[in-house]
Amino acid sequence: MAQAAEEKIYDVVVVGGGPAGATAATDLARAGHSVLLLDKPGRIKPCGGAIPPRLIRDFAIPDALLVAKIRAARMVAPSGKTVDMPVGEGFVGMVDREHFDPWLRARAAEAGADLREAAYEGLERPDAGPPRVRFTTGKGADLARHAVRARLVIGADGACSPVGRAEVPGHDQMRQVFAYHEIVRVPRAGEAGDGAVEAARCDVYYQGRHSPDFYAWIFPHGETASIGTGSARKGFSLRSSIRALREATGLAEAETVRREGAPLPLKPLRRWDNGRDVLLAGDAAGVVAPASGEGIYYAMLGGRLSAEAADVFLRTGEAGALKLARRRFMRLHGRVFWVLGMMQWVWYRSDALRERFVSICRDKDVQRLTWDSYMNKELVRNRPVAHVRIFFKDLAHLFRWVSP
């Protein structure tokens, strides 16, 4: 079949303009490739918004995008006992996805990517040429249908990725947890709830009534705060959980700015590509950390690694190059994901275990290694004695050799 004259050919079409897709589009455009970035408007992902110094440094995030700088985390046990974990030197940045994601997309456009607000419709292969990507722009009477060709499609379109489900074997079996949060105005002095949100502290609730298999949180965003939770337990009401948490913390009357919910993946997929012309990144590839639920750094790194693999593919024509993205990611962070997965499986199963987990967090070795690993995004290898001490302390708490 003859190629339609209006069908432009791009090197890459990126579906999804979140941190993973925007990063991939930016890097590929900077490398000289023609890139179309499709982003469906009107959706903000539920996210606490924490970004470590490693992300700020590696991806050149300006200070103006940080709505808060966190100096400590407070862990809240089922009993209500709390453990404060000071960051030490440095800070954890906080961003609001309402502003952070558009900035990332704008940077991709500045790098040369063609950015369009559009809804992805599907991918088809009508002939021996590059696959055809169909999408729509506008809505109602202004709805318009479009089609372009792409040598490669990067699906960065979320945990329920239409690209992944249609193109990558096994994607429909992805295990997920559902996350929900409410963005609220931080009460001013004298208002109900005043003092419930600390400007430089994240509060993490390890309480079964707020999440039977994950955790709930209150994260400051400057003038607003994210109050959220997550669970894979069917029938558990996330909205009721947040309502109860707001009541318990005095934030029931705080103004609600917006509400958001979305599924999150539980572990990286075994395959990120279709062995031909499709590659996944971000949540679509399953890169959200177990136990912590952290996703922004891993999404942006996944987007960068996908761009690097795409660059090799576009230069060589070798479809095997697409596997480089997952291979490099797992080499860098596979062990971290395994450790976090085991931690979640061991400690999040009951309130009795959660109580002991929070108790472990009082330990200075645990605090130091936790922050070192989080801030630098790697398991700390230069303190082997501390690792051994933590291992035996974990066993002591797990088998109730010490009281929480």
Side-chain angles (χ1 to χ4, degrees), residues 12 14 16-33 35-37 59-60 101-114 154 300 303-304 307:
V12 184
V14 180
T23 300
T26 299
D27 287 1
L28 285 165
R30 286 175 174 171
H33 299 292
V35 181
L36 173 62
L37 175 59
F59 296 95
D101 290 17
W103 184 87
L104 293 175
R105 290 191 287 271
R107 181 162 69 174
E110 290 171 3
D114 183 358
I154 293 181
M300 295 182 73
R304 174 153 291 172

Side-chain angles (χ1 to χ4, degrees), residues 195-213:
V197 179
E198 290 287 339
R201 189 188 73 211
C202 288
D203 294 349
V204 187
Y205 293 80
Y206 293 99
Q207 300 176 328
R209 63 181 176 273
H210 295 310
S211 175
D213 52 349

